[in-house]
Amino acid sequence: MLLPDSLSRRSLLSSTATTGFAASAAMLLGTGSIPADAVSVKGATSLSGYPFTMGVASGDPLPNSVVLWTRLAPEPLAADGLGGMPQEPVKVRWQVAEDPRFRKVVKSGTVTATPNFGHSVHPEVWGLRPGRDYWYRFLAAGEVSQTGHTRTAPAYGSSLSQMSFAFASCALYSHGFYTAYRHLADEDVDVVFHLGDYLYESGVTPENNWRNTPVSPAVGGETLDLARYRLQYGLYKSDPDLMAAHQSHAFVVAPDDHEVENNWADETPEERSQSQGELWMPRRTAAFQAYYEHLPFRASSLPDGPDMQIYRSLRYGDLVDFNVLDTRQYRDDQAYADGSDPASPELTPDIYDPSRSMMGFEQEAWLQRSWRQSTARWQVLANQAPMAETDLDETSAKTLYMDPWDGYIANRNRLLEGARTSGIENLVVITGDRHHNYASNLLADYDDPESAVVGSEFVGTSIASGGDGADMTTGGESLLRANDHLKFFNSQRGYVRVKVTPEELSSDFRVVPYVQRPGAPISTRATYVVENGRPGVQLDTQSTPVGTRYADVPMPTLNGKR
């Protein structure tokens, strides 16, 4: 992982590696089992129940390192947000092996889970081999966690014939089952990118829970403070399908808005927020702490009050450089009170103002440096909200959303021009947020009909947000008519699976026909490709729609969220 220039590797924390601790019991664990000659750990802390109720995870793979994660919480929905844990530190052992039965343990160590961080741990494991599969697990209080699988990145500069990844976003728990995560767990990909809205701040009640499953009253209200954010993660992360996805793959995560609050912008909450004035920054502080506590972040992302280092780079040999953006912490407030507005330089000059930014000028400079220094064949930008223009008006006029890149046109044009001047021929943006699948061309200037195609964007649909969805909607038809650069639209649930070779980047839009009941099958609705040296998306194959073919659902008129 390449960090912003302001961070030193000496600032990273990693747990001290030891060798060969024995597990505590002979029992099956996920993909492997505890060896029969395992022994108990003496003096283990006694807890009220099994502590690994939220599973395990790994993330941010480097050629020689991954970060592991778990949180001890025998009661993940305890009302005080402490997960049923005592107010004392607990030793947690971790173990990494080259096989799922842990016959060949290569790294192990001990970390301390403290109350200050909700008894979560984030050991960084170093000294691993590049491009290798590993299995890992934790032990605490005489219990052993599920077995997780991870994969390191290939060696820097190594020649790759292919790699694969997937990306997902937007998992509103109350809108449906996480069946897509279960199918994602079964994919053979090198890494998964989660592009935001990992959870939502809204409460889950019997009235709004489309799953029609029992929910605890503890998660019924708006999420405002640290204890409540921890409860929300306790609910979301105890979902078995989400746990399975994390157990199967290393994740690279970045937030959009709902990890804190809908459509927030730096120090400005949403206009309808319950956290106005002096209440806002404490809420953001709590949200970022809980976000860190529940995901596999390295120590370089440890929050400092309301701030968290999120943008970063990862390299996959000579084939792909990934740059992960943060489009919330540094942005100017949305123009014209957010929402959607008729747009032109005369009507809405603020969105063309070069002094306004969606990513902040320091992050923008970091990205441009990354591009200038890169020698990889493909540049993939992991991004939270759609970059390609989304015109809602089918006439010659334009109506644009103010929250995504359409509200920060000068920043978008600068970014795309910077890619061109840096000699980037293969720019691909992967995006979440919209609860739709899109395949779009990125234009140098959407106000110029002759503007050149300078890149490609794949927007992935939601995991659950929006409910069952449909293959096509009235809003989708309108978008396709109004935006010539938009080549594909779909409004079902799922994720995107991507295969990259030196000559082609191929994106499979993987969809499920329903999420409001469990057990949906998965299929590939369409595959779009980008050819080396030829910017823009091209249809490869598409299938007959499975599930609801059409729904009379217009695009929303107030903001970019469904």
Side-chain angles (χ1 to χ4, degrees):
M1 178 175 62
L2 304 181
L3 300 171
D5 296 346
S6 60
L7 293 176
S8 165
R9 283 200 178 279
R10 288 193 295 268
S11 70
L12 299 180
L13 305 176
S14 62
S15 57
T16 303
T18 61
T19 56
F21 78 85
S24 67
M27 58 186 297
L28 292 177
L29 291 172
T31 60
S33 62
I34 300 297
D37 59 352
V39 296
S40 300
V41 176
K42 296 181 180 179
T45 302
S46 177
L47 301 179
S48 62
Y50 185 67
F52 303 106
T53 56
M54 300 185 203
V56 299
S58 68
D60 279 17
L62 303 178
N64 63 345
S65 174
V66 294
V67 59
L68 308 180
W69 171 89
T70 195
R71 180 188 168 201
L72 307 182
E75 302 170 38
L77 294 182
D80 58 7
L82 301 179
M85 291 293 294
Q87 285 288 340
E88 62 185 54
V90 177
K91 295 292 185 183
V92 180
R93 293 184 176 185
W94 56 265
Q95 189 177 43
V96 175
E98 291 185 349
D99 66 290
R101 294 180 63 84
F102 292 84
R103 304 290 187 189
K104 189 175 181 181
V105 174
V106 293
K107 297 289 177 181
S108 60
T110 302
V111 288
T112 302
T114 66
N116 288 347
F117 286 97
H119 288 94
S120 64
V121 294
H122 302 73
E124 296 181 30
V125 184
W126 297 88
L128 301 176
R129 299 170 65 182
R132 293 294 297 268
D133 290 290
Y134 290 96
W135 287 261
Y136 62 93
R137 63 191 180 194
F138 295 91
L139 184 146
E143 300 281 3
V144 185
S145 74
Q146 305 89 342
T147 294
H149 165 265
T150 192
R151 184 176 294 165
T152 53
Y156 290 135
S158 58
S159 180
L160 297 186
S161 61
Q162 69 174 54
M163 67 86 58
S164 60
F165 65 93
F167 63 93
S169 65
C170 301
L172 180 54
Y173 182 93
S174 58
H175 274 197
F177 290 91
Y178 288 168
T179 312
Y181 278 141
R182 176 66 65 173
H183 291 295
L184 177 57
D186 295 332
E187 301 281 7
D188 183 12
V189 294
D190 295 307
V191 65
V192 172
F193 289 83
H194 200 287
L195 302 178
D197 296 348
Y198 187 91
L199 57 60
Y200 284 66
E201 77 280 20
S202 53
V204 181
T205 67
E207 291 74 28
N208 69 17
N209 182 15
W210 296 357
R211 294 187 180 206
N212 293 315
T213 55
V215 291
S216 168
V219 295
E222 179 85 358
T223 307
L224 300 173
D225 57 24
L226 179 58
R228 183 65 184 83
Y229 277 107
R230 285 173 171 170
L231 284 177
Q232 198 78 337
Y233 280 101
L235 174 67
Y236 277 60
K237 292 190 72 70
S238 60
D239 182 279
D241 295 338
L242 175 56
M243 291 171 65
H246 276 298
Q247 281 179 239
S248 297
H249 308 296
F251 271 56
V252 177
V253 298
D256 186 20
D257 54 343
H258 286 289
E259 289 86 351
V260 184
E261 178 191 67
N262 181 53
N263 283 21
W264 66 278
D266 193 9
E267 297 185 5
T268 306
E270 187 182 29
E271 187 175 286
R272 295 167 291 179
S273 174
Q274 297 184 36
S275 302
Q276 299 291 344
E278 295 181 356
L279 299 176
W280 169 243
M281 294 306 274
R283 180 180 182 178
R284 181 174 140 179
T285 298
F288 273 165
Q289 176 168 337
Y291 188 56
Y292 174 83
E293 288 175 352
H294 291 88
L295 285 161
F297 279 109
R298 292 182 181 270
S300 54
S301 293
L302 183 70
D304 180 11
D307 302 319
M308 184 174 178
Q309 182 62 51
I310 290 167
Y311 64 86
R312 58 208 190 274
S313 299
L314 297 99
R315 289 180 175 171
Y316 273 70
D318 64 353
L319 189 60
V320 188
D321 277 0
F322 294 97
N323 288 293
V324 181
L325 295 190
D326 177 350
T327 57
R328 287 291 164 188
Q329 277 193 91
Y330 314 108
R331 68 158 68 196
D332 288 280
D333 192 17
Q334 293 92 340
Y336 308 107
D338 205 350
S340 57
D341 292 273
S344 70
E346 297 74 29
L347 293 172
T348 51
D350 286 1
I351 67 176
Y352 295 87
D353 183 350
S355 70
R356 297 179 71 256
S357 177
M358 183 161 170
M359 59 193 300
F361 290 98
E362 182 177 337
Q363 182 180 186
E364 187 177 339
W366 160 82
L367 178 61
Q368 301 290 0
R369 284 194 302 272
S370 296
W371 281 343
R372 289 193 299 270
Q373 296 167 3
S374 176
T375 58
R377 175 68 61 91
W378 296 89
Q379 297 293 322
V380 175
L381 200 59
N383 167 61
Q384 287 75 49
M387 184 172 289
E389 184 174 270
T390 309
D391 184 5
L392 305 178
D393 193 331
E394 296 182 40
T395 73
S396 58
K398 287 186 179 182
T399 298
L400 302 177
Y401 292 132
M402 297 295 107
D403 184 65
W405 287 90
D406 283 342
Y408 304 82
I409 289 174
N411 188 176
R412 177 177 64 200
N413 290 352
R414 255 192 334 266
L415 184 151
L416 294 175
E417 173 63 15
R420 188 192 65 80
T421 59
S422 297
I424 303 301
E425 293 184 342
N426 297 321
L427 173 63
V428 176
V429 179
I430 59 173
T431 300
D433 177 75
R434 192 56 62 83
H435 311 170
H436 302 148
N437 285 312
Y438 298 163
S440 299
N441 292 339
L442 292 173
L443 307 184
D445 183 353
Y446 287 95
D447 289 328
D448 177 4
E450 304 301 319
S451 186
V453 177
V454 295
S456 311
E457 181 176 33
F458 296 106
V459 176
T461 188
S462 62
I463 290 289
S465 305
D468 289 343
D471 180 66
M472 181 55 67
T473 67
T474 53
E477 290 181 330
S478 178
L479 280 181
L480 289 168
R481 290 191 294 266
N483 298 272
D484 289 342
H485 54 274
L486 177 62
K487 306 302 181 182
F488 175 69
F489 174 94
N490 168 272
S491 188
Q492 292 173 298
R493 311 283 75 87
Y495 54 88
V496 182
R497 180 182 64 194
V498 184
K499 179 181 178 181
V500 191
T501 71
E503 296 308 315
E504 183 179 88
L505 183 146
S506 175
S507 292
D508 298 328
F509 291 95
R510 304 279 281 164
V511 299
V512 293
Y514 51 85
V515 295
Q516 289 173 234
R517 63 187 192 277
I522 191 85
S523 63
T524 298
R525 175 62 182 87
T527 299
Y528 277 77
V529 301
V530 181
E531 295 179 356
N532 173 42
R534 184 182 176 187
V537 300
Q538 302 175 62
L539 175 64
D540 185 29
T541 60
Q542 59 181 327
S543 66
T544 302
V546 177
T548 303
R549 174 69 183 93
Y550 186 90
D552 187 17
V553 179
M555 292 293 290
T557 56
L558 293 178
N559 60 50
K561 302 292 179 181
R562 295 296 304 274

